[in-house]
Amino acid sequence: NAGVMQNPRHLVRRRGQEARLRCSPMKGHSHVYWYRQLPEEGLKFMVYLQKENIIDESGMPKERFSAEFPKEGPSILRIQQVVRGDSAAYFCASSPGAAYQETQYFGPGTRLLVL
Amino acid sequence: QKEVEQNSGPLSVPEGAIASLNCTYSDRGSQSFFWYRQYSGKSPELIMFIYSNGDKEDGRFTAQLNKASQYVSLLIRDSQPSDSATYLCAVGALSNFGNEKLTFGTGTRLTIIP
């Protein structure tokens, strides 16, 4: 009974490269959330997706960041032309629904380091 | 700006004592309240959730909610060294897009002293 899966667990990129983070939700979950956690800070909501739809991207930076959740395959968070300030832990969470009181379960995270 | 405030700590509690973690929130429309535990370098793990005013107990953990005061707390009885972690308070409210959106506090770092 696999939980939320993320890969890679650690990712090192040089400034200007692209980072691609993948998330597979728990079985039976069709709602995916991405969060970013900067060192010594709390989790910040980035985007909420359902299959083939971006529902709420109010937390996404306006440039360089994009997310998708295709009909087949994992959800992907893409960061283009990374900068050092993008270094953080990126967590994906999934839930069976999106209404009130649906618990979000977190994956192990991807720790991105930009050199 | 909807905010969730927690004392960052560190909070040090002797083993076997009660640890009390507090959280306040600014959005009166919030409906769901969660406590997550996060060990260093690991992902958040759900400890408890509470939706109604009052107390909710689960083993050694008790969550308390007071919506009038916009205050939620977590009590840990008989504290164990394995409880040493950062505890994140998360508050859920309905977004403009119809989904529940969680806002997290920065966390309280708890250390249980053997």
Side-chain angles (χ1 to χ4, degrees):
Chain A
N1 183 18
V4 179
M5 300 176 69
Q6 290 186 250
N7 65 80
R9 298 288 297 276
H10 299 273
L11 182 61
V12 180
R13 285 288 179 265
R14 296 190 180 279
R15 281 178 295 170
Q17 292 183 319
E18 178 179 284
R20 190 172 294 207
L21 289 60
R22 287 176 289 276
C23 168
S24 295
M26 285 180 71
K27 187 175 182 180
H29 290 190
S30 58
H31 302 262
V32 167
Y33 312 79
W34 285 94
Y35 293 85
R36 177 167 63 177
Q37 187 174 38
L38 293 168
E40 304 303 321
E41 292 190 15
L43 289 156
K44 301 293 186 186
F45 168 81
M46 299 182 75
V47 62
Y48 157 56
L49 310 100
Q50 296 178 22
K51 284 284 187 181
E52 301 185 275
N53 284 301
I54 298 174
I55 306 301
D56 180 357
E57 56 182 347
S58 57
M60 287 278 271
K62 294 288 187 278
E63 298 177 348
R64 302 188 297 108
F65 285 72
S66 63
E68 62 179 19
F69 190 13
K71 185 177 181 180
E72 301 291 336
S75 174
I76 296 175
L77 179 68
R78 184 182 291 110
I79 311 172
Q80 296 177 304
Q81 300 176 325
V82 296
V83 300
R84 285 194 176 145
D86 296 332
S87 296
Y90 292 82
F91 290 99
C92 167
S94 74
S95 68
Y100 274 136
Q101 303 168 4
E102 289 281 6
T103 299
Q104 294 181 22
Y105 296 91
F106 283 81
T110 294
R111 281 145 183 88
L112 172 65
L113 175 63
V114 179
L115 300 176
Chain B
Q1 179 88 9
K2 298 173 183 177
E3 294 184 346
V4 176
E5 302 283 346
Q6 293 182 256
N7 188 327
S8 62
L11 175 65
S12 296
V13 173
E15 183 175 358
I18 296 175
S20 178
L21 305 164
N22 305 315
C23 173
T24 59
Y25 59 94
S26 62
D27 183 8
R28 286 195 172 275
S30 301
Q31 295 288 334
S32 307
F33 307 86
F34 304 85
W35 283 99
Y36 285 84
R37 177 176 63 196
Q38 187 174 27
Y39 293 112
S40 181
K42 302 296 184 182
S43 63
E45 171 193 10
L46 182 69
I47 297 296
M48 288 197 68
F49 57 85
I50 186 167
Y51 306 136
S52 303
N53 276 330
D55 296 0
K56 179 182 178 182
E57 186 175 320
D58 183 2
R60 295 187 297 113
F61 299 95
T62 299
Q64 300 173 317
L65 174 62
N66 184 326
K67 290 185 179 180
S69 300
Q70 296 174 247
Y71 175 90
V72 59
S73 66
L74 179 70
L75 301 178
I76 307 175
R77 289 181 300 281
D78 188 23
S79 297
Q80 304 295 312
S82 60
D83 294 328
S84 297
T86 296
Y87 288 80
L88 304 173
C89 172
V91 175
L94 197 63
S95 79
N96 294 333
F97 304 90
N99 59 291
E100 181 175 65
K101 188 171 176 179
L102 293 187
T103 301
F104 283 81
T106 54
T108 297
R109 193 162 75 241
L110 173 67
T111 300
I112 305 301
I113 303 168

